[in-house]
Structures are given as C-alpha cells and as structure tokens.
Amino acid sequence: RRTKIVATLGPASDRPGVLERMIAAGVDVVRLNFSHGSADDHRRRLVEVREIATRLGRSVAALGDLQGPKIRIARFRDGAVDLEEGQAFVLDVALDGEAGDAGRVGCDYKALADDVAPGDRLLLDDGRLVVDVTRVAGSEIHTTVVQGGRLSNNKGINKQGGGLSAPALTDKDKADLATAIDIGVDYLAVSFPRSAADMHEARALLGSAGAEIGLVAKLERAEAVADDATLDGIIEASEAVMVARGDLGVEIGDEALIGTQKRIIKHARSHNRAVITATQMMESMIEAPLPTRAEVFDVANAVLDATDAVMLSAETAAGDFPVETIEAMARVCLGAERERIAQESGHRIHEGFSRIDETIALSAMYAANHLAGVAAIACMTATGYTPLIASRIRSGLPIVGLAHNPVAQRRMALYRGVISLPFDTSEMTAGELNDRALERLVAQGIAEPGDHVILTRGDHMNAHGGT
C-alpha cells in the first residue's frame, strides 16, 4: 500500500491491546489531538506507540495537532435550546458564559462583534444551523435564524466566506507547542492559518529545540484557499498540508470543496510537499463495522488524486471499531492504487530543474517506471528529502528510504509510496554501501536476486545535499 494512514489516538485506542492491533493493521502516522486530553495522556500514548513500533519493526510518525482558535458559543442554562426558522437570536459576547437561553447566548471570542456586519451569514455547529446578521449593537450581534434546529453548549461558529480575525496560535496552542517539543513529535499541525505568516510564527516558536519537527498547515479557512498566491505561500512555509474538510467546507460551501481538495493536492505535490486528506472519511464506522459505499469512493478518490495520506479522526479515537476501520481503509487504498491512473504520471515533465538532488530523484523515478525488471528505487538519505521528491511521481514501485537518522526515518512514514528503513552507514566503507543496501532490500522481501534496483546516494554519506 502506497497511501499512508493517519489515525487519531483517544479513549478507543487506549483499550487494552487495541493500539498494537491498530499499528499492526497499518497505521503509518498517529495523531495526538491537543483539543482533548492532557500533556500526560499524549506523552503516555506516544511512549507506547514508539515501543510497539520498535517491536513490530515499523516506522510510525507522530503528528501533534494544535487546537487553534476554534470559535465557539458559550453555554445554555438548560444545556440546549431549539431555534426556529425566522426567530430572532442574539450572540452576546458580554453575556455570562452559563446564562444562554432560547433568545441569546454568550461567545468565547470577544472580537466577534467587530468581525461581523449586517448581511453576514454565520454557521453554527458545523453548518447544521444558519443565522443571518441583521445588526450589531455594542457587544450584541442580532441575527435571524435561517435554518433552525437543536443548539447545545460550546458549538462552533464559522463565518461564511471567512474573515474572522482570530490569530492562528492561541495561548493554549503555545503551551501545547512546548509540550509537543518535549514529548518529541515528528510533525506539528497548525489549525486555521490565514497566510504563510502564521506558519512562520509557528516555526519561530519551535526554534532550535523543535528544528526537526515538520509543520503541517491545516487548510480550513476560506482566506487560506481564496487565491493561488496565498495557498502556495502557506504550502511553501510548511513541510505538509492537510485538507481539513470540516471547517473548510463550512466556510466555502460543500459545492466548492470538491474542486478545492483537488487543487490543494495538486499544488502541494507541485511544491514537493506532503498532503493529508482528512475529515469524515469513514465516519459511519464510528458505530458500524463496515464503511458505506460513499465513504469507499471518497477514500479512493483521494488516493486517485495522489494524496500522500488519508486521516481518521473520531473513527479511531472514540469509535467502536478502530482496528476494523484501519483494515477497511487499507483495503480501499490498495484497490484504488491498482487502477492504472494511480500509476501514471506527467509530474513536471515539461519543467526545468535547478537542484541536483531533485533532478536525480525524478530521473530515477522516470527510469524505474520505464525500464523492465526494476523492483524498487532505494535512496540513501540523511534527511528524507530525496525519497520525498521521488514520491511526487506516481508509480507502482516501492521507494525505499535508507536512513541512519531515526527522525528522518519517521518523517518518511508520511510520504506516499515510501518505505523507510533504518540503515546505519557509520561502520561501512564506501565500497560496501551498495552491497549492504541491496542485502537490506532482499532481507525485507522488497527485491530478489536478479532484480534491478535503482539506487541514489551521495559521495559523502550522512551529509545533507550531496546526492
């Protein structure tokens, strides 16, 4: 299987024996969701993941996911209210946080009254309820209910079309970022970035202590995908991006989400960045042992779009069938990858290159795809960059990243089609390298005597940039 699986950890994966079965079933990246749980919960889970992965001989990366400025209503006196179409309803940022009723409710985001104007449409509870702003008076945002329903405590608020000014990194995020460095995550996801500046701020906060942590931009604001320049800026400021279809779909509308997903994946790949497709991919499996046909096609379509990874959220964090969900997702990915379209590539075929390692990586993939008898592409790598570039070209062949650095090894667990293996060259002579590399591939069952293997390496092992 070339497409990687990201699985969120939570109470479901904490059940005895479940985490080991999840990793054995094919999890490549575990997601630690900082919206829930304590620092100790995340530390305990990651220690267990690393121990199991080592025992099973697997490279499993860890993705810490910051909560970001999720804007929410406050709480109702009686826990929930029913809103009817046409009724007046007030969002009052000055109201006591526990005093909500059928006519008004507080809000945890005090600047909301400054960010909205008459005519704006607000979406509550992921778009299940819709209200239109009629006027703003001081702390009160007066609205008319367009689509009613039951509204309960702490539900999210989105503004259709985007435009809320909340910063991407809250005080909680900054504390969680320090925790992420401390427990040793491989990737850190930044929620709701509006532009490249938000990613640069996160990079600065990581500093030298978090220099080896890759940043993932979660694309969930309308502003982030409004034009190609903003999107490309965010992609270039990150190591990977996530198509976060929940909040993004609410802000831009479901009908615009389809093309936007494909555009994000295409742009990420053209900029040599990894991309994760997320949200509700197998949502029904929270409570059912089999996915719906619609979910099967959703996952398969993301695979055919050439996403690096598909992500599970509540399905594995809180669902009844976490292991079965991973097994189902793996089956669907393999089925989609057998289709010819998943193995054909025109990636950058008419473009020039400026980097030697990039030229070599893409040339190796081109040769591998066109020469009969090639079993694999093997890249000796200090950082994982050459396998990343090679993985931008669609292929049916495995790309093997041979790395002495465990951080680089885990980083590669996110890249489509890349198998990352430990390969310590410190005691080897230059003349031994090729033979030892080939022996490693045979031992893993990736190649057999008589196969061709295309091998990329540098003149100076363990040095970055010498491919």
Side-chain angles (χ1 to χ4, degrees):
R1 172 171 53 78
R2 303 182 69 75
T3 310
K4 302 305 179 80
I5 294 175
V6 182
T8 305
L9 303 187
S13 63
D14 286 345
R15 298 198 294 261
V18 170
L19 183 58
E20 179 154 353
R21 288 170 59 213
M22 284 169 59
I23 292 172
V27 171
D28 300 288
V29 181
V30 295
R31 172 175 171 252
L32 306 170
N33 184 1
F34 287 115
S35 297
H36 305 283
S38 65
D40 287 342
D41 289 333
H42 301 311
R43 186 189 310 278
R44 169 181 55 77
R45 286 170 181 150
L46 185 49
V47 167
E48 197 179 344
V49 166
R50 295 261 157 90
E51 184 271 317
I52 292 168
T54 301
R55 187 153 35 82
L56 297 181
R58 296 280 314 281
S59 283
V60 177
L63 166 67
D65 192 340
L66 301 177
Q67 179 175 310
K70 181 73 175 178
I71 296 164
R72 300 178 184 278
I73 61 167
R75 301 171 66 81
F76 295 99
R77 263 198 298 269
D78 299 324
V81 297
D82 290 300
L83 300 186
E84 308 225 346
E85 185 180 327
Q87 82 165 76
F89 189 68
V90 178
L91 297 165
D92 185 349
V93 299
L95 188 69
D96 177 86
E98 304 286 335
D101 59 31
R104 65 179 55 223
V105 72
C107 175
D108 64 358
Y109 175 55
K110 303 310 177 192
L112 185 64
D114 300 321
D115 283 355
V116 299
D120 285 342
R121 174 159 286 187
L122 299 178
L123 306 127
L124 309 177
D125 192 10
D126 290 336
R128 291 179 179 87
L129 293 91
V130 179
V131 301
D132 283 346
V133 178
T134 54
R135 67 188 179 92
V136 180
S139 66
E140 297 181 348
I141 301 158
H142 292 259
T143 74
T144 300
V145 177
V146 177
Q147 184 174 308
R150 192 159 189 78
L151 183 61
S152 55
N153 295 336
N154 304 124
K155 293 302 183 189
I157 304 174
N158 294 84
K159 179 181 168 188
Q160 193 169 68
L164 297 180
S165 62
L169 291 159
T170 65
D171 291 341
K172 172 177 161 48
D173 293 330
K174 290 170 185 175
D176 288 338
L177 182 144
T179 299
I181 295 172
D182 184 46
I183 67 177
V185 301
D186 303 294
Y187 290 98
L188 185 69
V190 177
S191 296
F192 302 100
R194 287 166 298 184
S195 67
D198 290 326
M199 303 310 296
H200 293 314
E201 182 188 355
R203 179 91 56 204
L205 288 169
L206 283 175
S208 57
E212 291 191 306
I213 295 174
L215 284 179
V216 180
K218 291 173 67 179
L219 297 169
E220 44 197 341
R221 273 182 161 164
E223 301 95 304
V225 298
D227 57 78
D228 285 350
T230 305
L231 175 60
D232 290 345
I234 293 172
I235 291 170
E236 287 173 3
S238 314
E239 273 69 43
V241 295
M242 184 189 293
V243 191
R245 304 181 305 181
D247 284 286
L248 183 61
V250 172
E251 290 210 356
I252 68 173
D254 292 340
E255 69 285 354
L257 190 58
I258 304 122
T260 301
Q261 172 174 312
K262 293 179 185 297
R263 181 164 66 102
I264 291 168
I265 294 172
K266 184 177 179 183
H267 280 241
R269 293 181 66 79
S270 69
H271 286 282
N272 297 326
R273 300 296 193 270
V275 56
I276 303 165
T277 305
T279 317
Q280 296 180 331
M281 298 214 82
M282 290 199 160
E283 183 91 347
S284 72
M285 289 194 74
I286 295 170
E287 297 172 341
L290 287 171
T292 66
R293 292 291 177 266
E295 288 165 343
V296 166
F297 273 80
D298 179 36
V299 172
N301 268 315
V303 172
L304 295 177
D305 287 341
T307 191
D308 284 89
V310 284
M311 191 174 104
L312 297 163
S313 299
E315 299 96 328
T316 53
D320 295 334
F321 302 97
V323 178
E324 292 84 349
T325 306
I326 291 156
E327 291 168 346
M329 193 164 242
R331 284 196 305 272
V332 173
C333 290
L334 279 166
E337 288 164 7
R338 288 190 198 106
E339 294 301 312
R340 196 170 153 198
I341 186 177
Q343 299 175 22
E344 294 177 340
S345 183
H347 178 72
R348 302 189 66 184
I349 204 81
H350 302 298
E351 291 182 34
F353 304 110
S354 58
R355 292 181 57 145
I356 289 172
D357 50 4
E358 187 172 42
T359 308
I360 290 170
L362 295 178
S363 301
M365 290 301 295
Y366 187 83
N369 279 347
H370 290 79
L371 177 63
V374 174
I377 304 95
C379 309
M380 294 189 202
T381 180
T383 63
Y385 186 72
T386 305
L388 169 65
I389 301 298
S391 70
R392 300 307 84 187
I393 286 193
R394 294 174 191 250
S395 174
L397 295 169
I399 302 159
V400 184
L402 298 167
H404 65 280
N405 177 355
V407 175
Q409 217 186 97
R410 293 194 299 266
R411 224 7 135 77
M412 289 186 280
L414 181 59
Y415 305 157
R416 183 182 177 111
V418 176
I419 300 166
S420 56
L421 297 176
F423 190 67
D424 186 359
T425 59
S426 56
E427 303 298 317
M428 297 180 197
T429 66
E432 287 182 294
L433 288 173
N434 293 3
D435 289 342
R436 297 291 88 79
L438 295 176
E439 285 168 10
R440 190 83 174 83
L441 267 60
V442 171
Q444 287 290 132
I446 294 166
E448 297 176 1
D451 286 339
H452 289 311
V453 170
I454 295 179
L455 180 66
T456 71
R457 51 171 274 210
D459 288 335
H460 306 286
M461 280 312 293
N462 305 342
H464 173 48
T467 304

